[in-house]
């Protein structure tokens, strides 16, 4: 189900809890909501649809990839940039890494490990920041 985008900064600044298999519907709702906003959004965290769970989705071309409880295990190539967010007005400065490795569960809650670089890495880092209530 497509959900409304949360813009309440007090809510967005709250830390997220680990997701469990009981949160499977949140994954589907998050995927549906990203697909509905893909003309101006490339990633989304569950708190952006009102759920404080550690779930993100990222767009890879026409595909939407969910990551449950993702953890960055390695990073390299620090750089400074600016980013916008569907939940916030304008752009803000932030620090990112060119290459990252991430451990996560897929939508079937099976363990995965991925290596990401460039823009995909940047999007994943942005969405994981949402878990800690970091508003770029």
């Amino acid at each position: 189900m497509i959900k409304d985008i949360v813009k309440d900064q007090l809510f967005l600044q709250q830390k997220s809890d680990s997701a469990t298999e009981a949160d499977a519907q949140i994954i589907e709702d998050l995927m549906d909501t990203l697909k509905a906003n893909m003309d101006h959004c490339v990633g989304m965290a569950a708190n952006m649809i009102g759920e404080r769970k550690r779930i993100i989705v990222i767009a890879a071309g026409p595909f939407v990839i969910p990551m449950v409880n993702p953890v960055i295990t390695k990073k390299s190539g620090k750089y400074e940039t600016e980013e916008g967010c569907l939940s916030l007005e304008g752009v803000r400065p932030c620090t990112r890494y060119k290459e990252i490795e991430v451990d996560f569960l897929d939508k079937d809650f099976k363990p995965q490990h991925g290596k990401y670089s460039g823009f995909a890495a940047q999007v994943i880092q942005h969405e994981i920041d949402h878990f800690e209530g970091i508003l770029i």
Side-chain angles (χ1 to χ4, degrees), residues 1-5 22-37 44-51 55-57 64 66 107:
M1 173 185 285
I2 298 169
K3 300 287 189 167
D4 291 335
I5 303 300
D23 299 314
Q25 185 59 51
I26 297 170
I27 299 168
E28 296 302 320
D29 292 345
L30 198 54
M31 291 175 67
D32 290 345
T33 305
L34 178 59
K35 288 175 188 173
N37 287 280
M44 205 172 273
N47 68 346
M48 294 174 66
I49 62 166
E51 301 288 350
I55 304 168
I56 67 171
V57 291
V64 175
K107 70 181 232 163

Side-chain angles (χ1 to χ4, degrees), residues 59-86:
F63 303 103
V64 175
I65 302 167
M67 295 181 167
V68 178
N69 300 325
V71 175
I72 297 172
T73 58
K74 191 174 182 182
K75 54 190 174 184
S76 63
K78 185 177 179 178
Y79 67 99
E80 302 298 320
T81 190
E82 290 185 336
E83 295 174 352
C85 181
L86 195 58

